[in-house]
Amino acid sequence: MKKILQTDKRLVMGVGILIFIFFIGIFAPWIAPHDPLTVHLTDRLQPPNWTYPFGTDHLGRCILSRIIYGVRISVIYAVVILVLTLFISIPIALITGYVRGRTDHLLMRAIDSTLAIPDIVLTIAIVGLLGPSLINMVVAIVLVRWASYVRFIRSLVIKICKEDYLLSARMAGNSHFRILRRYILPQIIIPILIFSALDMGKIVLNIAGLSFLGLGSQPPNPEWGAMLNDATAYFQIAPHVMIYPGLSIVLFVLACQIISEHFQNSGIASGKEGKNVY
């Protein structure tokens, strides 16, 4: 890992951006110059200045402070969604890809029918049924995204099951559980992490998109998508109210894309790093 970081400046930049974003989210109360919820109508739509480095919104709230606190919603909720999705999809994909059979066939047909519907459309439909809120948004995104993870992880498991060393593991008398835990799971961890790194950006986009539509974070929570929604009516007279939240989303997605592309190009995501786990 140290060698990789020394030779790939783009990877260093991507990791550095993510660390920086997580840092400001964790230490938001100490970094933010103002209370993100405090209204100052006399300072509404102020351009960037020394008091408000990113300006103020239509209620006079500090945009920089709201962006900093927005990390806790946009990014941390994305991490929660990712962890829940992996918790559901990894056991299902391991079992179905290893055992195969009729159950696997029926599950894959159900997944195919789910994936036939665009993610954002299905997510909006689920949130619409459950009602707009952060918790319902998390549930909806997890219910939609787990299918793509199961399909991806299952394909990795099927590929590994065809390897000669796995046949040797079976002949050595290892139980099915031991084979899954010791010989298959370590081989798929890195590809899953790379897939997740790229998907983190997509999840943040989904969170921002749902909040922009009023189906995710509700006012006055400082969430990046909700900030874009509030800014649409004032973009022509005060473009900064939309530019800075938009740049925050772009920066995070770009960092995820850079990290994922590096490992894809290096061959790690496709499992070319060797199979000596026996």
Side-chain angles (χ1 to χ4, degrees), residues 44-47 56 58 231-242:
R44 63 191 304 268
L45 300 179
Q46 288 284 321
T56 60
H58 62 293
T232 52
Y234 308 96
F235 179 67
Q236 291 184 337
I237 60 175
H240 64 275
V241 296
M242 181 173 284

Side-chain angles (χ1 to χ4, degrees), residues 200-213:
M200 271 286 289
K202 297 178 181 178
I203 294 174
V204 167
L205 285 176
N206 282 341
I207 293 173
L210 291 171
S211 297
F212 180 82
L213 296 174

Side-chain angles (χ1 to χ4, degrees), residues 208-229:
L210 291 171
S211 297
F212 180 82
L213 296 174
L215 298 175
S217 178
Q218 301 298 306
N221 290 331
E223 197 279 328
W224 295 343
M227 292 175 66
L228 289 176
N229 184 31

Side-chain angles (χ1 to χ4, degrees), residues 55 69-70 73 106 219 228 252 270:
Y69 273 88
I73 298 177
L106 294 175
L228 289 176
F252 182 84
S270 57

